[in-house]
Amino acid sequence: MSVDAQTVRKVAKLARIAVEDHEVEPLAKELSGILDWVEQLQEVDVEGVDPMTSTVPMRLKRRPDIVTDGNRRDDILSNAPDAREGFFAVPKVVE
Amino acid sequence: MLDLTFSEPAPKVMQGATGPWELVIGMEVHAQVSSTAKLFSGGSTDFGSEPNSNVALVDAAMPGMLPVINEFCVEQAVRTGLGLKAEINLRSVFDRKNYFYPDLPQGYQISQFKYPIVGEGEVLVDMEPGVARTVRVERIHLEQDAGKSIHDMDPSMSFVDLNRTGVALMEIVSRPDIRGPEEAAEYLRKLRQLLRYLGTCDGNMQEGSMRADVNVSVCRPGDYEAFREGGDDFSKLGTRCELKNMNSMRFIQQAINFEARRQIDILEDGGSIDQETRLYDPNKGETRSMRSKEEAHDYRYFPDPDLLPLEIEQAWVDDIAATLPELPDEKRARFMSDYGVTEYDASVLAADRADADFFEQVAKGRDGKASANWVVNELFGRLNKEGLGVATSPVSAEQLGGIIDLIGSGDISGKIAKELFEIVWTEGGDPAEIVEARDMKQVTDTGAIEAAVDEIIAANPEKVAQAQAKPSMAGWFVGQVMKATGGKANPQAVQQLVKQKLGV
């Protein structure tokens, strides 16, 4: 399976990763290699084998319905490039 | 169980230049789970708090923070599934739905894609007495809500509040079994009613606790039946458009009507429908394309590596099932069979749990029909007018029951009862004591009524002659006697005596 330059650009855009023109070809090659390897894995017969989600039998950890966090607006906003009146302020996103 | 029989409503038909078209509608309803804390964090779900005050570090997607599921939210989803007679999947999986938006700090929404917690169920949508449709529910999955962006506080900036980020949502997905705009509104109303009965969502549409995406397509008569016969063969249906984020029953209906007509016009002009997401503009009364969001539709779902599959035990599901309340359809059927009330009254009474409980308090040990009549027509009518509910009603179930008892015993007439209701509404008090203290008792003593009748006959000889010539005139005498007795005379007794005395 081969990934073309256009697919690389699309995936990069969806992931919001800046990719320079000269990086596109090498990336296409690397991604194709990964997909080839996955394709190879698919040759293995896994009929009747459940997908493995953990190496040891574990149950998804649960939490009770109790408020344990919050009321820390200043912490939450401290990394924001811009915050006003308690809100994050971002360039206008409405159409 | 339900022993009511229904016929299905006719699908909405729109006439086009080339013949009739039918509507096919499916809905995805996002219902906010009633819980104290969020789905994967210990942040509060309170509505209306100061911006960004209910944000846990998990919600803000701080590096290294891990989601831990709120067990109660899972229980609520299971309870909802049971209420919709749906299959509960003992194993479900959380996936990441990837997209970028300022109100989604993680860069993905944790949702359930391939393996939702609830499978196929149904909602009975009532249109009118005897007419209803069973709308199939395809699935319910649990997911995180996003934050809120505010666009009108600054000309060049959008403001983001993450309080809602991470609150648990149930996405309830129907099959395309809804066949008209009114049905769509009724489906949402019924779903809301069920969720409120179950206590799994407060159904507050103004606060955004329930929002719907509405999928609309049009087809020719017979196509939908072919779709069903083919085991949901979508090739028989038209291409659909999705109307996003609707939170008003009225706008949903307007939007569907506009969208169906738009599609019909395109098809009749020889065009084809692009499958797309559209937004309804209530000011212009039209839908428009959200083309810029198209690329964002490539969500690249994959299982969330932070979360193991959610495995629950059948015994736990059974425990939840044992706590389910009686639901509106069952309650309605029981009101009809136990109290003999009409289907219409039963529907009104069963619409809300508190209303239904109020009615049962009134009807206990009393005539069911009379009780329903007073609760639905007098009390609810008045409460609606004043913008009140049973919880804030000035007339208690006990007081209303007292009024009905006084009618039943013949102490007061229906007319006086309405006056009495008015007094109890405005002044309060025990109805029987009020009747006693204000001398409102019905005069059943024939002697007293007879005296009043005689007096009026004697004073109006020319009316007597008229009435004897034209018996329908006797009603005038009845009216006069009622007036003379302050409305307290038993109307039947007066009528009988008047006729007797006039010889008509």
Side-chain angles (χ1 to χ4, degrees):
Chain A
M1 190 156 174
S2 73
V3 175
D4 59 17
Q6 199 192 340
T7 308
V8 170
R9 288 205 169 87
K10 189 187 169 204
V11 172
K13 192 178 176 200
L14 285 170
R16 299 295 188 277
I17 294 171
V19 173
E20 304 291 333
D21 283 347
H22 70 270
E23 294 171 310
V24 172
E25 268 318 309
L27 270 172
K29 227 171 162 178
E30 281 176 41
L31 287 172
S32 296
I34 294 168
L35 289 178
D36 285 344
W37 179 66
V38 172
E39 217 158 72
Q40 200 182 340
L41 283 178
Q42 278 175 341
E43 288 168 15
V44 181
D45 181 10
V46 290
E47 188 68 35
V49 180
D50 283 336
M52 191 178 76
T53 49
S54 176
T55 48
V56 283
M58 274 173 68
R59 185 173 184 264
L60 176 66
K61 192 175 152 54
R62 272 94 157 148
R63 195 168 49 76
D65 187 28
I66 296 168
V67 175
T68 55
D69 198 356
N71 280 321
R72 52 197 311 163
R73 185 165 80 190
D74 293 345
D75 288 347
I76 295 297
L77 295 174
S78 63
N79 294 323
D82 192 358
R84 301 180 198 182
E85 294 170 63
F87 294 94
F88 291 90
V90 300
K92 208 163 198 98
V93 283
V94 78
E95 292 158 46
Chain B
M1 276 311 285
L2 267 187
D3 52 359
L4 302 171
T5 50
F6 296 102
S7 59
E8 289 202 330
K12 167 136 185 169
V13 175
M14 285 188 170
Q15 288 302 328
T18 60
W21 295 86
E22 286 182 3
L23 276 62
V24 176
I25 301 159
M27 284 171 84
E28 293 161 23
V29 175
H30 293 88
Q32 200 177 92
V33 174
S34 293
S35 67
T36 308
K38 296 180 180 180
L39 181 56
F40 292 112
S41 82
S44 164
T45 59
D46 272 353
F47 181 82
S49 303
E50 286 290 299
N52 291 307
S53 58
N54 297 339
V55 185
L57 295 177
V58 176
D59 307 325
M62 290 295 166
M65 294 295 113
L66 288 172
V68 181
I69 200 163
N70 180 338
E71 186 157 40
F72 182 66
C73 293
V74 179
E75 182 182 329
Q76 292 284 60
V78 169
R79 182 172 287 118
T80 303
L82 292 169
L84 268 49
K85 303 183 175 70
E87 55 178 302
I88 306 300
N89 295 323
L90 297 181
R91 183 178 187 277
S92 61
V93 175
F94 287 98
D95 299 278
R96 291 186 180 180
K97 178 179 178 178
N98 299 281
Y99 67 95
F100 287 96
Y101 206 71
D103 57 23
L104 187 80
Q106 286 169 158
Y108 57 86
Q109 175 194 34
I110 305 178
S111 181
Q112 296 188 304
F113 187 54
K114 242 173 132 178
Y115 304 101
I117 183 158
V118 177
E120 290 181 4
E122 62 181 48
V123 174
L124 183 69
V125 181
D126 318 289
M127 297 309 293
E128 54 185 281
V131 181
R133 189 191 302 284
T134 300
V135 172
R136 294 169 300 158
V137 168
E138 186 178 316
R139 58 185 279 165
I140 303 174
H141 62 255
L142 271 172
E143 62 184 26
Q144 297 176 302
D145 205 346
K148 204 175 163 189
S149 301
I150 301 161
H151 305 293
D152 55 6
M153 282 178 71
D154 186 280
S156 61
M157 307 295 273
S158 288
F159 285 13
V160 178
D161 173 11
L162 299 183
N163 280 348
R164 209 177 57 189
T165 304
V167 169
L169 294 180
M170 296 178 281
E171 181 168 330
I172 304 164
V173 183
S174 88
R175 293 268 174 188
D177 291 350
I178 300 161
R179 305 302 314 280
E182 294 80 16
E183 281 183 42
E186 280 307 319
Y187 170 78
L188 197 57
R189 193 166 290 138
K190 185 60 175 285
L191 197 55
R192 180 173 179 271
Q193 191 184 89
L194 282 163
L195 298 176
R196 284 170 56 88
Y197 258 76
L198 292 162
T200 56
C201 169
D202 67 19
N204 191 328
M205 299 187 72
Q206 282 80 42
E207 291 179 5
S209 298
M210 265 184 99
R211 325 189 277 274
D213 298 340
V214 186
N215 287 292
V216 181
S217 68
V218 296
C219 67
R220 292 295 192 182
D223 288 349
Y224 177 78
E225 288 71 16
F227 157 78
R228 291 295 294 265
E229 278 157 25
D232 283 14
D233 177 1
F234 278 89
S235 72
K236 304 285 187 217
L237 298 181
T239 304
R240 66 175 194 267
C241 288
E242 183 182 10
L243 309 175
K244 247 334 212 198
N245 245 335
M246 310 284 306
N247 68 348
S248 139
M249 310 263 188
R250 191 160 61 93
F251 291 159
I252 284 174
Q253 298 183 55
Q254 291 172 1
I256 293 171
N257 275 320
F258 176 88
E259 179 58 21
R261 179 54 66 186
R262 185 188 74 88
Q263 293 182 12
I264 291 167
D265 289 348
I266 290 173
L267 293 169
E268 293 198 325
D269 283 348
S272 61
I273 307 298
D274 294 329
Q275 185 171 333
E276 62 178 0
T277 303
R278 300 179 68 84
L279 208 58
Y280 180 66
D281 181 341
N283 296 320
K284 291 188 182 148
E286 59 182 37
T287 63
R288 59 183 157 80
S289 178
M290 298 173 73
R291 278 188 207 287
S292 58
K293 288 231 163 175
E294 217 101 299
E295 196 163 51
H297 267 312
D298 194 343
Y299 291 128
R300 295 148 295 145
Y301 282 97
F302 63 90
D304 192 319
D306 289 338
L307 292 158
L308 286 165
L310 174 60
E311 285 173 328
I312 55 178
E313 291 75 40
Q314 185 60 46
W316 188 59
V317 174
D318 294 342
D319 286 348
I320 298 169
T323 66
L324 281 200
E326 181 184 40
L327 293 172
D329 293 337
E330 284 78 34
K331 212 181 261 295
R332 180 175 57 175
R334 182 169 62 80
F335 283 1
M336 289 170 69
S337 64
D338 288 9
Y339 298 104
V341 307
T342 62
E343 187 183 337
Y344 174 80
D345 281 352
S347 297
V348 173
L349 292 166
D352 184 89
R353 236 166 123 177
D355 288 354
D357 291 347
F358 188 95
F359 164 69
E360 291 211 77
Q361 278 178 48
V362 174
K364 197 175 175 195
R366 299 194 175 93
D367 180 63
K369 266 189 167 156
S371 302
N373 207 8
W374 273 87
V375 172
V376 172
N377 296 323
E378 300 304 323
L379 184 70
F380 287 0
R382 188 66 189 271
L383 289 172
N384 280 343
K385 218 165 83 187
E386 311 266 336
L388 297 170
V390 288
T392 48
S393 170
V395 178
S396 71
E398 198 187 331
Q399 286 170 316
L400 188 58
I403 296 174
I404 296 166
D405 287 343
L406 289 164
I407 307 169
S409 63
D411 282 338
I412 56 172
S413 65
K415 186 168 170 287
I416 293 288
K418 289 189 186 181
E419 286 173 28
L420 177 59
F421 177 81
E422 194 57 40
I423 294 169
V424 175
W425 178 282
T426 47
E427 302 170 29
D430 175 54
E433 279 170 18
I434 294 169
V435 164
E436 206 60 60
R438 305 195 189 188
D439 195 20
M440 294 167 78
K441 266 202 179 162
Q442 183 162 254
V443 179
T444 41
D445 170 9
T446 1
I449 299 174
E450 205 171 345
V453 174
D454 285 341
E455 203 176 305
I456 286 158
I457 286 180
N460 299 281
E462 71 285 7
K463 292 271 185 191
V464 173
Q466 281 174 20
Q468 275 159 350
K470 200 179 163 207
S472 61
M473 280 292 294
W476 182 83
F477 285 91
V478 176
Q480 291 300 307
V481 174
M482 293 304 290
K483 210 164 151 188
T485 54
K488 289 183 293 182
N490 179 320
Q492 283 82 28
V494 174
Q495 195 143 20
Q496 208 180 350
L497 274 168
V498 164
K499 283 191 173 163
Q500 196 186 318
K501 298 264 176 189
L502 292 173
V504 296

